[in-house]
Amino acid sequence: MNQNFVVTKSNYFIKNSSYELSIEEQRIILTLASMVQPEDQDFKSYQIKIADFIEMLGISSKTKYTELPKITKELMRKVFEISDEETGKLIQVAWLSAVVYEKNSGVIELEFSPHLKPYMLNLKGFYTKYKLHNVLSMKSKYSPRLYELLKLNEYQKKGFSVHIDELRKLFKAENIYPKYNDFKKHIILKSQEELEQFSDIRFEFVECKMPRQVKYINFYVFKNTPTAKKKTNKTSNA
C-alpha cells in the first residue's frame, strides 16, 4: 500500500459533512479515498490486500482475520449527514455500498456509496488534497478531521476563525465534550500534538471569549518541519 497516494475531497464536503468514525474506520475510508482519482468519472471497486489492511489498522490479536470483517461491517452501518444549504437538502448516506472478502486471493474489495460522487469525483476546483501518510499514523479519531479543516484553510496566512459550536458539530462531539476545557484537552490539544508529530502542517490557536466563555477559536496554520517549535497558546477577549 503506497502511503504517498493522495487523498482528494471537495472543500464543501470537508466543511459541511458531520460524522463520527473510529480511527480504524477513518483509516479505511482515507485509504480508499487515496485510491480515487479526482478526474475519475465513476467509482470503481478498489482492492487492498487483506494482510496490508490488517497492518494498516494495527490489528495484532490472534483473531485478526475475524476482527477485520467486524470492523468493516460496523463501518457499513455508519450513516453521516451532509447539509446542502444551496438546495435546502439534508443528505443522510452510508460510506460504503459493498465490501467483499476474497479469501482465496487474500484481497478485500470495497466500493464507495455512489452518493459520494459529487464530493470526490470529477473535481474541477475548490478541493483539498494531501498525502495519505500525513494522517495514517494518527491515534485520535479527531486529528484527521481537524487536519483536513486546517489543510483546507492553509492558504489563509492571517488565520481563520471557527465557532466552537461548529467544531463540535463537525466532530459529532456536542454531547461528548460539552465543557470547553474537555473539548480543548481531548480534541484541540491532542490534535495539535499529533499533527506536529506526524503531518506536514502544525497549528497555533487563539481563544476568543465573548465575554467570558470561549466562543471562537482562531487557527493559524504553518508548514511543519523538524525544528518547528510550539508556542504558548494565548487567550484574547472579543
Side-chain angles (χ1 to χ4, degrees), residues 189-201:
L189 293 179
K190 182 61 178 178
S191 296
Q192 186 180 48
E193 175 186 333
E194 292 201 331
L195 264 65
E196 185 164 343
Q197 183 178 358
F198 299 119
S199 81
D200 60 337
I201 59 173

Side-chain angles (χ1 to χ4, degrees), residues 155-196:
Y155 70 95
Q156 300 198 43
K157 302 305 180 184
K158 295 183 179 180
F160 67 101
S161 181
V162 186
H163 197 283
I164 289 296
D165 291 343
E166 183 180 344
L167 282 176
R168 284 197 177 97
K169 183 179 178 181
L170 284 174
F171 297 137
K172 283 284 187 180
E174 299 99 320
N175 299 320
I176 301 175
Y177 300 119
K179 295 182 179 179
Y180 173 72
N181 284 341
D182 292 333
F183 182 86
K184 175 182 176 180
K185 175 182 177 182
H186 294 285
I187 296 182
I188 304 299
L189 293 179
K190 182 61 178 178
S191 296
Q192 186 180 48
E193 175 186 333
E194 292 201 331
L195 264 65
E196 185 164 343

Side-chain angles (χ1 to χ4, degrees), residues 71-205:
I71 294 173
T72 53
K73 187 176 181 179
E74 181 62 26
L75 175 56
M76 291 192 69
R77 293 194 183 106
K78 296 289 180 73
V79 174
F80 69 98
E81 296 180 339
I82 304 173
S83 299
D84 193 327
E85 297 178 357
E86 293 183 2
T87 62
K89 293 181 179 179
L90 175 64
I91 305 169
Q92 296 178 329
V93 60
W95 288 95
L96 302 176
S97 61
V99 178
V100 179
Y101 286 86
E102 299 180 6
K103 295 182 180 179
N104 291 336
S105 58
V107 168
I108 180 173
E109 189 174 287
L110 305 99
E111 296 180 14
F112 271 125
S113 167
H115 288 283
L116 294 174
K117 289 181 183 180
Y119 312 108
M120 300 177 70
L121 291 177
N122 199 23
L123 301 177
K124 303 298 184 183
F126 302 106
Y127 61 82
T128 296
K129 62 181 182 179
Y130 56 87
K131 289 186 177 180
L132 179 63
H133 69 76
N134 285 301
V135 292
L136 272 190
S137 296
M138 294 176 179
K139 306 296 190 297
S140 168
K141 65 181 181 180
Y142 301 110
S143 297
R145 276 295 266 150
L146 186 55
Y147 172 84
E148 288 186 342
L149 184 63
L150 295 171
K151 197 69 177 173
L152 185 158
N153 291 282
E154 185 179 14
Y155 70 95
Q156 300 198 43
K157 302 305 180 184
K158 295 183 179 180
F160 67 101
S161 181
V162 186
H163 197 283
I164 289 296
D165 291 343
E166 183 180 344
L167 282 176
R168 284 197 177 97
K169 183 179 178 181
L170 284 174
F171 297 137
K172 283 284 187 180
E174 299 99 320
N175 299 320
I176 301 175
Y177 300 119
K179 295 182 179 179
Y180 173 72
N181 284 341
D182 292 333
F183 182 86
K184 175 182 176 180
K185 175 182 177 182
H186 294 285
I187 296 182
I188 304 299
L189 293 179
K190 182 61 178 178
S191 296
Q192 186 180 48
E193 175 186 333
E194 292 201 331
L195 264 65
E196 185 164 343
Q197 183 178 358
F198 299 119
S199 81
D200 60 337
I201 59 173
R202 63 183 182 88
F203 72 92
E204 298 171 9
F205 64 95

